[in-house]
Amino acid sequence: MVQPGLARRPDVTELRQTYDRAGSTAPAQVMDAVTLLAGLYLAISPWIVGFTGFGGLTVNNLIVGLVVTALALSCASAFGRTYGVSWVTPVLGVWAIIAPWVIRGQPATTATIWNNVVTGAIIFLFGLGALAFAANYRQHEHGRRRGVGAPGGEW
């Protein structure tokens, strides 16, 4: 959380604006949209694929899917304020991949494994892509500002 005194600092405001510009570009919006859809699918996948009898995995997919959806939505709407937690999305993608083997209960079926591996891989890749895109955009913006000779130098 940003303290009121820090909110007035120009470098914090400039950093947020840089990330907001990064999040408002078309590639970033596509990555956020695909991540959001993958999160929604993961949340409802037990009912689509038909493994609601797997209590632990069903609850896991519902919760993880809803968290991924919320993260993607928050990154799409205010990336300047949420980029700090955007690293969680790829981690949740990895968790979705390994969940059928880690969560105790009924043995995972081929359908549950494929469902979680493919959906988790999509969440992981697009979440990682969004992180890389933001880092690259920040570096590009920072380099461009320095090249112009803007005051402030290094961050």
Side-chain angles (χ1 to χ4, degrees), residues 2-70:
V2 176
Q3 301 297 324
L6 290 176
R8 290 188 300 260
R9 290 197 46 162
D11 53 343
V12 172
T13 304
E14 185 178 346
L15 184 60
R16 278 193 192 141
Q17 290 172 351
T18 299
Y19 280 119
D20 281 337
R21 283 192 301 274
S24 65
T25 61
Q29 290 174 349
V30 167
M31 282 188 260
D32 289 336
V34 171
T35 306
L36 184 133
L37 291 174
L40 281 175
Y41 173 76
L42 185 65
I44 62 173
S45 65
W47 293 274
I48 292 174
V49 177
F51 58 91
T52 55
F54 293 74
L57 191 58
T58 299
V59 171
N60 174 74
N61 282 12
L62 178 64
I63 292 170
V64 172
L66 291 176
V67 170
V68 168
T69 301

Side-chain angles (χ1 to χ4, degrees), residues 109-120:
T109 64
T110 305
T112 60
I113 292 171
W114 274 106
N115 177 71
N116 276 43
V117 167
V118 171
T119 308

Side-chain angles (χ1 to χ4, degrees), residues 108-149:
T109 64
T110 305
T112 60
I113 292 171
W114 274 106
N115 177 71
N116 276 43
V117 167
V118 171
T119 308
I122 290 169
I123 291 169
F124 173 76
L125 291 174
F126 280 91
L128 202 60
L131 279 176
F133 185 80
N136 186 32
Y137 192 85
R138 179 176 178 228
Q139 184 179 24
H140 173 71
E141 284 283 305
H142 180 62
R144 189 176 78 202
R145 262 187 256 106
R146 236 185 342 170
V148 173

